[in-house]
Amino acid sequence: MTSLPVIDIDPFGTEVLTDPYPLEHALLDAGPLAYLSAHDIYAVARYDAVYAALRNWQGFQSGAGVGLSNFRTEKPWRQLSIVVEADPPHHDAPRRVLANLLGPRAQRRLRAEWMAKAHKMVGQVLDGTPGGTIEFDAVTAIAEKFPPRAVGDALGLPEEGRENLLPFSDFLLNAFGPRNELVAAGAPHAKFLTTWVMEHCQRDALTEDGLGGQIWAAADRGEITHEQAPGVVRSLFAAGFNTTVHALAAVMHALVTHPEQWARLRAEPSLARIAFDEAVRWASPVQTFFRTAVGDVPVGDHVVPDGAKVLMFLGAANRDPRRWADPEKFDLSRDPSGHVGFGFGLHQCVGQNLARLEAECLITALAERVETLELAAPGERRLNNTLRAWHSIPVRARLA
Ligand code: HEM
């Protein structure tokens, strides 16, 4: 038996967050399991190993936290999610309520409204005459604007205070990593943001017919308890905004930097959903999540010992050459299904089809108006312990 590969690079260091690919390659080469000495944790990065870990909820629990902190041994210093950080049986009822609410019925109900919102937003950004050029920032003008508008309305939130949505989930997703300078930078606002979110998880802050109000109605029907309702609403605040913002930024970046794929998409706009999933595979806006071993769990020739934290590298799995031909290529001919950018198994993203709908609406609206796209200046990253995020992507568009 070979010894367990040990890697001493900090996966949450500035260098890796800026460019995760050298560490991902090292992990993919190392084998199915490695030990990351910087945080005394285990790592899975190969597609098969990540997929197996995501499916193995009995061996790799979420209930001790999906961040670095191990709440089996540490007193929680942050509030745990009653959805993503719960194991069966506690996970079952909240998940069922969300799956019902965010399923095909919601998509059919929201489709026309979100298409209209996307066309309106894109029309305001691309305010020019055919043949002319327009410069805009794909992050601040589009990606950061659309989810707070579309999902914020669907959730039943008031307009006031929506500027808190992205900083809240930015802090929360940073808090899944170590308490580094990214967490410290967000800490002064954390209390205010958390209080604002918890207030807006209450019934009287939400419209009755929105998703939030419907979660409370599910509590009235006994599908979850009234004590659970705010936590279920909160899971949408935590997971439903920044993730999609940076997935939309990723697909914009991919299309702007691959003009031949943009031309293809314009010729065949029904490729919008493929483009989005391929961008989620290619860029993995959610890079990593933790699990905690329950008992000694074998991975390849090695074992993750009971109670150890395991970091799953979704981004590396989505570019593992053992699973994907030409993984580094953003390619609309590919079938990206099976990527783990939305996770897999019991906790697989329950909002993924809403994210796809948002993307489809925006991409369709852009494809109608924009003939060519190019970078107007290099993009700038926003560093986050969990997200592969963008601060800015300056774009020049020639209007159709
Ligand atoms: C879970 C990614 C959009 C709500 C997850 C997980 C991932 C993910 C990787 C699995 C976490 C784990 O296994 O521990 C993404 C990405 C998105 C996105 C990349 C955008 C492209 C959304 C949206 C919503 C949402 C729009 C809600 C409207 C949730 C919830 C969970 C979850 C509630 C927890 C599910 C559970 O534990 O059963 N997401 N998400 N997500 N996501 Fe998403």
Side-chain angles (χ1 to χ4, degrees), residues 105 268 383 392:
R105 211 161 15 104
E268 210 181 322
L383 300 192
S392 155

PDB file of all heavy atoms in Angstrom, residues 105 268 383 392:
ATOM      1  N   ARG A 105     -43.374  23.273 -11.016  1.00  0.00           N
ATOM      2  CA  ARG A 105     -44.519  24.198 -10.972  1.00  0.00           C
ATOM      3  C   ARG A 105     -44.023  25.643 -10.820  1.00  0.00           C
ATOM      4  O   ARG A 105     -44.491  26.548 -11.510  1.00  0.00           O
ATOM      5  CB  ARG A 105     -45.426  23.819  -9.800  1.00  0.00           C
ATOM      6  CG  ARG A 105     -46.860  24.128 -10.057  1.00  0.00           C
ATOM      7  CD  ARG A 105     -47.818  23.354  -9.136  1.00  0.00           C
ATOM      8  NE  ARG A 105     -47.191  22.735  -7.991  1.00  0.00           N
ATOM      9  CZ  ARG A 105     -47.268  23.203  -6.738  1.00  0.00           C
ATOM     10  NH1 ARG A 105     -47.941  24.280  -6.463  1.00  0.00           N
ATOM     11  NH2 ARG A 105     -46.677  22.550  -5.742  1.00  0.00           N
ATOM     12  N   GLU A 268     -28.104  29.399 -32.405  1.00  0.00           N
ATOM     13  CA  GLU A 268     -28.958  28.366 -31.819  1.00  0.00           C
ATOM     14  C   GLU A 268     -29.236  28.715 -30.349  1.00  0.00           C
ATOM     15  O   GLU A 268     -28.627  28.136 -29.440  1.00  0.00           O
ATOM     16  CB  GLU A 268     -28.201  27.031 -31.902  1.00  0.00           C
ATOM     17  CG  GLU A 268     -29.096  25.835 -32.026  1.00  0.00           C
ATOM     18  CD  GLU A 268     -28.258  24.542 -32.066  1.00  0.00           C
ATOM     19  OE1 GLU A 268     -27.164  24.536 -32.679  1.00  0.00           O
ATOM     20  OE2 GLU A 268     -28.692  23.586 -31.451  1.00  0.00           O
ATOM     21  N   LEU A 383     -12.225  37.472  -4.116  1.00  0.00           N
ATOM     22  CA  LEU A 383     -11.827  36.238  -3.432  1.00  0.00           C
ATOM     23  C   LEU A 383     -12.845  35.869  -2.364  1.00  0.00           C
ATOM     24  O   LEU A 383     -13.360  36.721  -1.654  1.00  0.00           O
ATOM     25  CB  LEU A 383     -10.441  36.385  -2.806  1.00  0.00           C
ATOM     26  CG  LEU A 383      -9.297  36.705  -3.776  1.00  0.00           C
ATOM     27  CD1 LEU A 383      -7.943  36.536  -3.085  1.00  0.00           C
ATOM     28  CD2 LEU A 383      -9.342  35.853  -5.042  1.00  0.00           C
ATOM     29  N   SER A 392     -15.439  42.096 -11.222  1.00  0.00           N
ATOM     30  CA  SER A 392     -15.747  42.929 -12.389  1.00  0.00           C
ATOM     31  C   SER A 392     -15.350  42.205 -13.681  1.00  0.00           C
ATOM     32  O   SER A 392     -14.311  41.536 -13.725  1.00  0.00           O
ATOM     33  CB  SER A 392     -14.959  44.238 -12.223  1.00  0.00           C
ATOM     34  OG  SER A 392     -14.715  44.847 -13.453  1.00  0.00           O
TER      35      SER A 392
END
